[in-house]
Amino acid sequence: MSITDRDKFQGDMAQAQVGIPIDGNKNREGRLNEFQIWLKAIYNVAQRINNEQCEGLDAEERARVQNLYGALMRQGKGIAVKADKDTPFTVVELVFDNLQTMKLNKFSLMTALKSEDEPTQ
């Protein structure tokens, strides 16, 4: 696919092949589903990068970097969920449920801003 065609396809959320599959909280065998596997991989990479940044630092500086990383995760700045008015609540709820199953209870929720010209309901 050309880049334009691929962007158009990936932007069409009505397509079943778009996005990360998230059928339920766990798969049929009770293991993590694909969405949770992706999140775990992202978390592991972030941990590895954090550890690499600490290499060669003295104990005080290492503690400062690790505390900064932990503080960001505790404040919910490590994960952001983006949804707008057209996103079905059931989808958002399913994402939240999957995050909470993985003990990722703090995250940011991003929504679309209204423009000044847009009427209020």
Side-chain angles (χ1 to χ4, degrees):
M1 264 186 207
S2 71
I3 292 174
T4 306
D5 290 341
R6 186 179 60 219
D7 288 345
K8 184 178 176 184
F9 176 78
Q10 289 177 338
D12 183 4
M13 297 309 283
Q15 296 284 337
Q17 302 91 341
V18 174
I20 302 170
I22 183 170
D23 296 332
N25 201 330
K26 302 269 186 176
N27 73 8
R28 290 183 185 157
E29 291 82 35
R31 295 188 306 256
L32 298 178
N33 62 34
E34 190 168 346
F35 174 76
Q36 293 167 333
I37 291 169
W38 278 63
L39 281 173
K40 190 172 181 94
I42 292 166
Y43 182 79
N44 289 341
V45 168
Q47 282 284 67
R48 191 181 78 230
I49 290 169
N50 182 48
N51 292 338
E52 288 172 1
Q53 288 178 339
C54 290
E55 287 179 15
L57 299 178
D58 62 34
E60 183 179 325
E61 199 62 22
R62 178 184 299 261
R64 187 186 68 74
V65 170
Q66 289 174 337
N67 287 337
L68 176 64
Y69 175 77
L72 290 173
M73 292 303 288
R74 284 189 299 278
Q75 293 171 15
K77 294 182 179 175
I79 298 172
V81 177
K82 183 178 178 186
D84 64 14
K85 63 182 172 136
D86 298 325
T87 306
F89 179 73
T90 54
V91 173
V92 176
E93 186 177 36
L94 186 59
V95 170
F96 287 177
D97 185 46
N98 274 265
L99 290 170
Q100 290 173 335
T101 296
M102 297 181 70
K103 307 267 189 274
L104 298 171
N105 296 314
K106 293 194 177 185
F107 43 85
S108 300
L109 175 61
M110 300 174 9
T111 60
L113 295 175
K114 290 184 180 180
S115 69
E116 289 183 19
D117 301 332
E118 200 172 330
T120 58
Q121 294 180 355

